[in-house]
């Protein structure tokens, strides 16, 4: 829905609320009209149920408001003497319409200054868990989100098994667009393997299904910095319209809301307004080779001919820091494919006694790879030779014709939601013939440092700003497999120059110091 449609919907909700509670307001010593005034009726209701005014804010936060609405329905019933488990069940199961029964049928009296403490230990636990979920959801949605590195696309900077905290406020927290969803999970409920959100994912019904009308338009709280070139960024994969991102042959074309697309982490090598090109695997921005931060290490794929026929993966890892998959390419074991090797590792590994020869596994300039953006036969681009292309900047206008249209077709039609048609040699946008286009938002080019083992922008193209989730800022834990903690990576920063410094020991010292201080303070208070 648009913002205006949401405004009308909220007004309708206010009328429904007023009709179902105005008599209860009267019994609580308030005026009937107060039940119908938007926001003010909420403030009054908080006084009636003896709760803080700031609960109103929580009622307007997507996802959180689903939990808070259920709590308010139950609290309203309890404020009029309905404390039984069946009352709680009916208040929630009826989606608040139990208030109509209390308002028009039941003979209830207002319980002023009622005891807010739960009457049982189970009630206390339920209350604590609900508010813990609310608090965690607010932090998760608007401030900081945990994230696990699943792949080696940024290996050496971020390792498989790193556990990150991703800041939502650096680039500005995005308001959830999916309004009805399970809190603190992404697109799937763990264990059940079911969607965690209410949305009709049938591609043909994405614009007509009534439940899809519950989606909020894109909104973002202003951040305090912009995405800079070479920043590591977490974002929703723009082309993720599948039930399972790794299943490229689903039974039909599934469709996901933006904020429920798969989360990925890559390096932003191109920002709005840049002209980007890939030459021999290296990125060039505005004609100049892009220089990565000193913590970043590019990796490329190599063919290695052994003198014997085996390489020990554990030895390669410990001796040369070669961690990606190594496998033979033929039955004779005369050639091995090393998926990812850094320049530093290559300089050491070429002297390995089992190495007969090493050659880079790079694609040929001018040879088209059909899996590479823009997936058009007129563009002979591949993983190692790509571009040049212009990265769209908000408010900038470009000339548009049939030659460049494949580069920006998805931007115009999918990301910026225009009706795009081609009739003969003419391009029609929203029914009008045009030869120019002005972009509505900024776009970015996200790539992995692991240039031959990373599914990134070379596969799907531009990443719109409305798909940006946040900025990884902190590694709080890191494991190499299940049994091997990487202690040196605990409590380290993602950004910065030079070798990362672990703050794990200072944290442990402060933690135990704080625990000891609290115990001493409590003992001193007890003695006094």
């Amino acid at each position: 829905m648009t913002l205006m449609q949401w405004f009308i919907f909220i007004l309708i909700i206010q009328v429904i609320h007023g009709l179902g509670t105005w008599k209860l307001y009267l019994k609580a010593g308030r005026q009937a009209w107060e039940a119908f005034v938007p926001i003010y009726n909420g403030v009054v209701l908080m006084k009636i149920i003896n709760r803080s005014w700031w609960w109103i804010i929580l009622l307007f936060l997507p996802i959180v408001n689903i939990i808070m609405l259920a709590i308010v329905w139950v609290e309203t019933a309890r404020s009029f003497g309905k404390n039984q488990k069946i009352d709680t069940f009916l208040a929630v199961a009826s989606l608040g319409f139990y208030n109509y029964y209390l308002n028009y049928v039941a003979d209830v009296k207002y319980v002023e200054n009622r005891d807010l403490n739960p009457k049982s230990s189970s009630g206390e636990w339920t209350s604590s868990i609900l508010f813990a979920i609310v608090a965690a959801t607010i932090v998760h949605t608007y401030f900081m989100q945990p994230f696990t590195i699943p792949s080696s696309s940024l290996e050496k900077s971020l390792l498989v098994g790193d556990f990150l905290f991703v800041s939502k406020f650096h680039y500005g927290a995005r308001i959830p667009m999916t309004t009805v969803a399970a809190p603190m999970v992404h697109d799937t409920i763990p264990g059940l393997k079911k969607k965690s959100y209410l949305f009709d994912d049938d591609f043909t019904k994405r614009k007509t299904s009534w439940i899809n009308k519950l989606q909020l338009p894109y909104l973002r709280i202003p951040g305090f910095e912009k995405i800079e070139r070479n920043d590591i960024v977490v974002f929703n994969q723009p082309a993720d319209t599948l039930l399972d991102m790794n299943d490229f042959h689903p039974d039909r074309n599934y469709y996901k809301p933006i904020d429920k697309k798969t989360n990925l982490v890559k390096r932003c090598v191109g920002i709005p307004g840049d002209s980007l090109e890939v030459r021999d695997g290296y990125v060039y921005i505005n004609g100049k080779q892009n220089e990565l931060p000193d913590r970043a290490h590019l990796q490329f794929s190599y063919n290695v001919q052994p003198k014997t026929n085996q390489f020990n993966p554990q030895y390669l890892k410990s001796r040369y820091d070669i961690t990606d998959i190594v496998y033979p390419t033929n039955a004779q074991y005369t050639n091995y494919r090393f998926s990812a090797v850094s320049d530093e590792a290559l300089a050491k590994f070429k002297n390995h006694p089992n190495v007969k020869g090493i050659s880079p596994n790079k694609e040929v300039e001018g040879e088209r790879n059909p899996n590479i953006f823009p997936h058009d036969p007129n563009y002979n681009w591949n993983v190692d030779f790509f571009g040049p292309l212009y990265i769209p900047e908000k408010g900038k206008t470009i000339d548009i014709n049939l030659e460049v249209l494949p580069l920006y077709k998805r931007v115009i039609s999918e990301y910026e939601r225009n009706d795009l048609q081609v009739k003969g040699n003419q391009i029609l946008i929203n029914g009008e013939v045009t030869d120019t286009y002005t972009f509505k938002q900024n776009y970015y080019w996200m790539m992995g440092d692991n240039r031959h083992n990373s599914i990134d922008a070379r596969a799907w193209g531009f990443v719109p700003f409305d798909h940006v989730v946040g900025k990884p800022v902190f590694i709080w834990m890191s494991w190499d497999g299940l049994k091997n903690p990487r202690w040196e990576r605990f409590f380290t920063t993602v950004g910065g120059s030079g070798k990362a410094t672990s703050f794990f020991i200072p944290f442990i010292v402060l933690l135990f110091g704080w625990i000891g201080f609290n115990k001493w303070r409590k003992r001193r208070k007890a003695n006094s």
Side-chain angles (χ1 to χ4, degrees):
M1 288 193 289
T2 64
L3 287 176
M4 180 55 68
Q5 289 171 330
W6 270 105
F7 178 72
I8 295 172
F9 175 74
I10 291 172
L11 288 181
I12 293 172
I13 293 298
Q14 303 304 309
V15 173
I16 294 174
H17 170 77
L19 292 174
T21 57
W22 65 274
K23 283 189 175 182
L24 299 180
Y25 276 63
L26 287 173
K27 290 180 179 181
R30 307 297 303 197
Q31 300 296 317
W33 61 266
E34 292 179 307
F36 293 89
V37 181
I39 299 180
Y40 177 70
N41 57 7
V43 175
V44 174
L45 182 61
M46 293 308 109
K47 292 181 179 180
I48 291 174
I49 66 176
N50 199 19
R51 294 296 184 178
S52 301
W53 65 268
W54 49 262
W55 276 30
I56 297 298
I57 299 174
L58 302 181
L59 288 171
F60 284 91
L61 294 180
I63 308 300
V64 172
N65 58 3
I66 296 174
I67 303 171
M68 291 304 302
L69 281 172
I71 293 173
V72 169
W73 295 332
V74 172
E75 291 290 308
T76 301
R78 290 177 177 175
S79 294
F80 290 88
K82 296 296 182 178
N83 296 306
Q84 302 300 314
K85 291 181 179 179
I86 185 62
D87 298 307
T88 300
F89 172 77
L90 290 174
V92 176
S94 67
L95 302 181
F97 282 97
Y98 186 56
N99 287 338
Y100 275 74
Y101 167 75
L102 302 180
N103 197 58
Y104 294 108
V105 179
D107 183 17
V108 295
K109 293 183 178 180
Y110 177 55
V111 182
E112 190 174 3
N113 298 322
R114 68 185 176 94
D115 185 6
L116 299 181
N117 295 315
K119 300 297 187 294
S120 64
S121 59
S122 61
E124 186 175 350
W125 272 102
T126 302
S127 178
S128 299
I129 290 172
L130 282 174
F131 280 99
I133 292 174
V134 168
T137 302
I138 292 173
V139 173
H140 182 277
T141 304
Y142 298 99
F143 296 96
M144 200 73 69
Q145 176 181 339
F147 186 85
T148 307
I149 298 298
S151 70
S152 62
S153 65
L154 288 172
E155 192 74 16
K156 311 313 174 197
S157 292
L158 294 177
L159 309 183
V160 176
D162 279 350
F163 291 78
L164 311 177
F165 282 135
V166 176
S167 165
K168 299 291 188 73
F169 52 84
H170 274 74
Y171 305 138
R174 188 177 59 188
I175 306 298
M177 287 165 268
T178 305
T179 59
V180 183
M184 293 188 300
V185 295
H186 190 51
D187 59 343
T188 306
I189 298 176
L192 299 179
K193 294 185 178 180
K194 299 292 184 181
K195 281 189 305 182
S196 64
Y197 55 97
L198 188 63
F199 190 83
D200 191 336
D201 58 16
D202 189 329
F203 185 80
T204 61
K205 299 177 181 178
R206 69 193 191 282
K207 295 182 180 179
T208 57
S209 175
W210 71 268
I211 62 174
N212 292 2
K213 302 296 183 183
L214 298 175
Q215 291 281 306
L216 274 172
Y218 166 69
L219 296 168
R220 188 183 289 272
I221 299 171
F224 64 85
E225 70 175 49
K226 295 181 179 180
I227 298 176
E228 297 181 358
R229 196 178 296 116
N230 294 325
D231 275 357
I232 295 177
V233 180
V234 173
F235 58 95
N236 299 114
Q237 193 215 48
D240 182 14
T241 55
L242 304 176
L243 176 67
D244 180 351
M245 192 184 77
N246 296 313
D247 177 11
F248 297 100
H249 303 284
D251 58 340
R252 60 180 171 84
N253 188 11
Y254 292 83
Y255 192 81
K256 287 183 176 182
I258 291 173
D259 57 339
K260 293 302 176 182
K261 292 181 179 181
T262 301
N263 288 330
L264 294 181
V265 57
K266 306 289 178 185
R267 190 181 302 280
C268 176
V269 297
I271 61 176
D274 280 347
S275 176
L276 178 141
E277 187 176 1
V278 178
R279 306 176 196 166
D280 199 30
Y282 295 93
V283 171
Y284 286 76
I285 301 296
N286 304 322
K288 184 179 179 181
Q289 185 172 336
N290 184 38
E291 294 185 9
L292 296 178
D294 59 1
R295 288 189 189 178
H297 298 275
L298 288 182
Q299 294 192 100
F300 296 97
S301 174
Y302 290 89
N303 289 313
V304 179
Q305 296 76 47
K307 292 178 181 178
T308 60
N309 59 11
Q310 291 184 5
F311 286 102
N312 186 322
Q314 290 300 322
Y315 182 73
L316 293 175
K317 180 179 179 180
S318 61
R319 179 68 175 83
Y320 302 105
D321 197 25
I322 297 175
T323 53
D324 269 37
I325 187 171
V326 174
Y327 59 94
T329 60
N330 55 39
Q332 294 75 35
Y333 297 93
T334 57
N335 186 78
Y336 277 78
R337 177 69 50 82
F338 280 60
S339 301
V341 182
S342 66
D343 290 344
E344 294 82 357
L346 182 66
K348 298 177 183 178
F349 179 64
K350 65 183 180 181
N351 297 319
H352 189 286
N354 191 36
V355 172
K356 180 179 179 181
I358 300 178
S359 58
N361 179 37
K362 291 188 177 181
E363 296 185 347
V364 179
E365 184 176 8
E367 186 176 283
R368 178 174 176 257
N369 184 335
N371 296 318
I372 295 300
F373 179 83
H375 314 288
D376 186 277
N378 294 318
Y379 286 83
N380 296 322
W381 294 353
N382 56 52
V383 169
D384 296 302
F385 294 91
F386 186 97
L389 83 166
Y390 170 77
I391 301 176
E393 183 178 4
K394 182 179 179 180
K396 292 299 177 69
T397 301
I398 63 167
D399 295 328
I400 199 84
N401 53 51
L402 295 181
E403 182 179 349
V404 302
L405 183 61
L407 299 175
Y408 304 105
K409 180 179 179 180
R410 188 173 178 84
V411 167
I412 296 170
S413 60
E414 179 69 20
Y415 305 146
E416 305 203 345
R417 293 171 174 77
N418 295 290
D419 179 33
L420 176 65
Q421 293 179 303
V422 176
K423 294 183 178 180
N425 293 325
Q426 291 184 324
I427 298 173
L428 287 78
I429 299 178
N430 299 325
E432 296 185 3
V433 177
T434 184
D435 58 2
T436 63
Y437 183 76
T438 303
F439 298 106
K440 299 176 183 178
Q441 63 174 317
N442 286 325
Y443 292 80
Y444 302 85
W445 197 261
M446 307 292 188
M447 288 177 62
D449 297 343
N450 195 338
R451 291 295 160 82
H452 290 148
N453 198 19
S454 172
I455 300 176
D456 52 34
R458 291 168 293 180
W460 62 70
F462 309 105
V463 174
F465 186 56
D466 63 11
H467 282 58
V468 170
V469 174
K471 179 177 183 176
V473 292
F474 197 68
I475 301 170
W476 61 277
M477 185 170 65
S478 183
W479 291 79
D480 183 8
L482 295 175
K483 299 181 179 180
N484 302 309
R486 303 185 185 103
W487 296 110
E488 74 281 0
R489 295 184 67 81
F490 278 51
F491 284 69
T492 58
T493 57
V494 173
S497 59
K499 184 177 175 60
T501 301
S502 173
F503 295 96
F504 184 59
I505 298 301
F507 169 77
I508 293 297
V509 172
L510 287 174
L511 177 63
F512 279 99
W514 177 254
I515 293 173
F517 173 74
N518 277 335
K519 287 185 176 180
W520 171 80
R521 187 177 59 178
K522 289 179 180 179
R523 191 181 301 114
R524 183 182 179 185
K525 183 180 292 185
N527 292 335
S528 62

